[in-house]
Amino acid sequence: MTLPQAHTKTQTQTQTPSRTQENDVTTGATVWLTGLPSAGKTTIARELADRLRAGGRRVEVLDGDEIREFLSAGLGFSRQDRHTNVRRIGFVAELLARNGVLTLVPVIAPYADSRHAVRERHEENATPYLEVHVATPVEVCSVRDVKGLYAKQAAGELTGLTGVDDPYEEPAEPDLRIESQHQSVQESAAAVSALLSERGLI
């Protein structure tokens, strides 16, 4: 009689952590940081990711350049290709977010209809979605010129630069607007963190 009892106890011990893990799954969300090249999107996202991980949250940063290389290789920079790229990123972001990951997406996404399509996908699956406009003016971005894109455009070596000779449709009603030229990276990340807290997502 003792053996079945011992076996039952072992089952309880092995099942309890599983139930605990299920109960501890936190709500995920997608935070899309849109803005011009060199606006500071990725820098803010990585600072925020460090903060959130320090608080024990599961976080992924979907870097636009990495997505282009591994998920959207072969796509160009026409309006349709940009739209396809954004929707692919939105699909991955929503998939991660609905499985409890806070997903930070520092991607330009220059067209309003593309961003709307991503928001709709999240709404259809009841997955939290926040749009943050890193509203750094093009004059400031061109001075920062992290990747040298503005210099190449000015030298005639590059065309189709968002915000210069290709459109950027600013969000009309983002969940948060950041003017990174007036505050530090830490302050910008703290503002996004405060929004997540306000919405009950952290």
Side-chain angles (χ1 to χ4, degrees):
M1 297 296 294
T2 56
L3 284 176
Q5 289 176 350
H7 180 64
T8 301
K9 183 177 180 182
T10 302
Q11 282 185 322
T12 302
Q13 287 175 337
T14 57
Q15 289 175 359
T16 300
S18 176
R19 287 198 298 269
T20 302
Q21 288 171 359
E22 289 175 4
N23 293 337
D24 286 348
V25 171
T26 52
T27 301
T30 293
V31 180
W32 197 294
L33 297 96
T34 177
L36 297 175
S38 296
K41 303 180 297 299
T42 301
T43 305
I44 294 169
R46 296 202 182 284
E47 173 68 23
L48 177 60
D50 289 343
R51 286 170 174 254
L52 294 170
R53 288 179 184 128
R57 293 305 307 267
R58 297 168 62 202
V59 184
E60 287 291 341
V61 177
L62 299 184
D63 180 83
D65 290 338
E66 293 178 353
I67 293 292
R68 277 276 179 182
E69 180 179 357
F70 296 107
L71 189 63
S72 293
L75 289 181
F77 291 90
S78 67
R79 184 179 184 115
Q80 184 56 48
D81 280 0
R82 289 176 189 261
H83 181 69
T84 299
N85 184 51
V86 167
R87 293 194 67 176
R88 286 179 182 177
I89 298 171
F91 172 82
V92 175
E94 195 278 325
L95 187 63
L96 289 168
R98 89 165 94 121
N99 283 283
V101 180
L102 275 169
T103 308
L104 311 180
V105 187
V107 173
I108 296 171
Y111 300 114
D113 59 347
S114 301
R115 298 192 301 266
H116 181 68
V118 173
R119 183 184 288 275
E120 276 194 328
R121 178 174 190 83
H122 282 72
E123 289 175 349
E124 288 168 3
N125 291 287
T127 304
Y129 178 84
L130 299 174
E131 183 177 78
V132 176
H133 181 202
V134 184
T136 312
V138 66
E139 296 80 10
V140 176
C141 294
S142 63
V143 171
R144 292 178 179 174
D145 204 9
V146 178
K147 300 175 184 176
L149 300 178
Y150 293 93
K152 289 181 179 179
Q153 193 278 335
E157 300 172 5
L158 176 71
T159 59
L161 180 59
T162 301
V164 179
D165 57 356
D166 212 58
Y168 176 73
E169 299 170 1
E170 293 191 0
E173 296 180 343
D175 296 281
L176 176 67
R177 198 181 305 277
I178 291 175
E179 296 183 353
S180 71
Q181 71 275 22
H182 297 314
Q183 58 191 44
S184 68
V185 173
Q186 292 74 21
E187 289 170 333
S188 296
V192 183
S193 181
L195 176 63
L196 285 165
S197 179
E198 177 187 310
R199 300 292 174 89
L201 297 171
I202 58 173

